[in-house]
């Protein structure tokens, strides 16, 4: 039931009259000869579900003996290419690759680790850990630890181990236990903990985290709390700050739009409109250009101005 419910909150849906061979032909034609028909590519791929894109990829290989993603990379470039490749990647594989790049790139991109590990469901985190091991023959926890500092490391490990265990242990009040409580709880339980904390201390959990912690540890704790309260609100905020001010964090924009368009983009748009004085659509429109903009706006779905 929940997956059906979730599908209803996405902006990108499975195409009802799907024909993988016809789609593969359209894409091949769009890339054949001189010049590329980017518009044909983006219109088609944003109107198919991820599962359908995987079928198109397999059929393309059968029909033309070539790898669709390699062909797309050969024809496209820049941010538009990054977005299209993201759309062509199965969700768990996309998360695994994003985490790997965040860990193994120059300097750990803690923002990516925080975003993925805080926002995915406990089941997804399990799948990510398993897929990471299969793909790289490495332990995600060890890789994360080898590359991050003290507090952050401890918290991440607890999160990884505990995101899918709603344990009932008793804790003291030091920072480590504060961390453990967050890592060991279901979202529903966390919300009750936050309410109790508010009654007891007179502060919202977020205020205490802001006051008591700093740096990446603060970012991670805040993300965990925000996701426990509302994943769509967390992503609305993430998107807003990716585009606000000078310059755009395109990697974040691409990652969130590609990974949430079939999940909860409708809810993200609603939260965005509620939290900020503009629509997600209008902000993307003002912040991006070309085929990249066109594709992002199709993933966004509509304007809530």
């Amino acid at each position: 039931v929940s997956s059906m419910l979730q599908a209803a909150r996405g902006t990108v849906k499975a195409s009802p009259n799907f024909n993988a061979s016809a789609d593969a032909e359209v894409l091949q034609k769009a890339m054949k000869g001189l010049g590329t028909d980017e518009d044909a590519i983006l219109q088609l791929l944003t109107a198919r579900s991820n599962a359908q894109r995987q079928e198109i990829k397999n059929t393309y290989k059968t029909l033309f003996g070539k790898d669709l993603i390699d062909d797309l990379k050969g024809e496209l470039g820049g941010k538009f290419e990054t977005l299209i490749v993201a759309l062509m990647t199965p969700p768990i594989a996309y998360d695994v690759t994003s985490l790997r790049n965040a860990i193994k790139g120059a300097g750990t991109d803690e923002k990516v680790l925080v975003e993925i590990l805080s926002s995915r469901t406990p089941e997804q985190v399990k799948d990510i850990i398993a897929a990471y091991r299969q793909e790289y023959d490495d332990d995600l926890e060890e890789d994360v630890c080898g590359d991050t500092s003290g507090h952050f490391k401890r918290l991440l490990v607890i999160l990884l181990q505990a995101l899918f265990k709603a344990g009932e242990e008793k804790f003291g009040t030091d920072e480590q236990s504060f961390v453990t409580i967050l890592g060991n709880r279901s979202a529903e339980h966390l919300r009750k903990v936050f309410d109790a904390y508010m009654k007891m201390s007179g502060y919202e959990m977020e205020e205490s985290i802001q006051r008591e912690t700093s740096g990446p540890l603060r970012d991670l704790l805040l993300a965990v709390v925000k996701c426990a309260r509302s994943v769509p609100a967390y992503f609305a905020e993430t998107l807003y700050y990716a585009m606000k001010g000078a310059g755009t964090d395109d990697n974040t924009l691409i990652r969130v739009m590609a990974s949430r368009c079939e999940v909860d983009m409708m809810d993200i748009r609603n939260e965005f409109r509620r939290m900020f004085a503009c629509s997600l659509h209008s902000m993307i429109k003002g912040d991006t250009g070309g085929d990249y903009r066109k594709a992002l706006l199709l993933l966004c779905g509509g304007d809530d101005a």
Side-chain angles (χ1 to χ4, degrees), residues 20-75:
S21 305
D23 285 353
E25 305 259 0
V26 169
L27 291 172
Q28 200 253 354
K29 207 166 115 208
M31 294 187 279
K32 224 170 70 181
L34 285 172
T36 307
D37 186 349
E38 284 91 355
D39 198 58
I41 294 170
L42 71 89
Q43 295 288 348
L44 190 146
L45 292 178
T46 56
R48 302 293 180 272
S49 67
N50 193 288
Q52 289 176 331
R53 292 182 210 121
Q54 303 316 314
E55 282 190 57
I56 296 169
K57 184 176 178 259
N58 296 338
T59 306
Y60 189 93
K61 180 89 177 154
T62 307
L63 291 177
F64 308 112
K66 283 149 86 185
D67 184 293
L68 176 55
I69 293 185
D70 288 346
D71 281 3
L72 287 165
K73 282 179 173 171
E75 296 290 328

Side-chain angles (χ1 to χ4, degrees), residues 289-303:
D291 296 312
Y292 175 54
R293 174 205 279 169
K294 241 188 252 180
L296 286 171
L297 291 177
L298 285 168
L299 297 178
C300 177
D303 193 353

Side-chain angles (χ1 to χ4, degrees), residues 157-281:
V157 175
I158 292 168
L159 254 187
L160 280 176
Q161 291 170 341
L163 269 169
F164 39 88
K165 286 191 217 117
E168 279 300 325
E169 302 93 316
K170 297 285 176 279
F171 300 106
T173 53
D174 64 0
E175 187 177 319
Q176 198 169 357
S177 69
F178 183 58
V179 162
T180 314
I181 289 169
L182 285 181
N184 274 306
R185 292 293 181 264
S186 66
E188 191 185 358
H189 184 91
L190 279 176
R191 285 193 290 271
K192 287 185 186 136
V193 171
F194 303 155
D195 291 342
Y197 185 84
M198 178 75 191
K199 282 199 187 82
M200 185 182 78
S201 68
Y203 293 107
E204 287 287 10
M205 184 64 90
E206 287 89 333
E207 296 175 78
S208 293
I209 292 170
Q210 292 279 17
R211 235 190 8 252
E212 306 289 334
T213 61
S214 61
L217 176 70
R218 172 193 285 176
D219 297 340
L220 185 55
L221 290 172
L222 283 174
V224 171
V225 173
K226 284 172 184 170
C227 287
R229 292 198 192 277
S230 164
V231 170
Y234 168 74
F235 279 118
E237 205 180 345
T238 302
L239 286 167
Y240 180 77
Y241 288 108
M243 293 184 279
K244 185 184 179 288
T248 303
D249 178 356
D250 288 294
N251 288 334
T252 296
L253 183 54
I254 290 167
R255 196 173 54 251
V256 175
M257 296 304 290
S259 61
R260 307 312 290 187
C261 60
E262 276 183 67
V263 183
D264 51 6
M265 188 57 69
M266 300 297 285
D267 299 321
I268 292 171
R269 273 170 41 189
N270 291 342
E271 291 293 341
F272 196 97
R273 190 76 194 80
R274 189 179 64 76
M275 292 160 78
F276 309 108
C278 60
S279 66
L280 176 58
H281 192 281

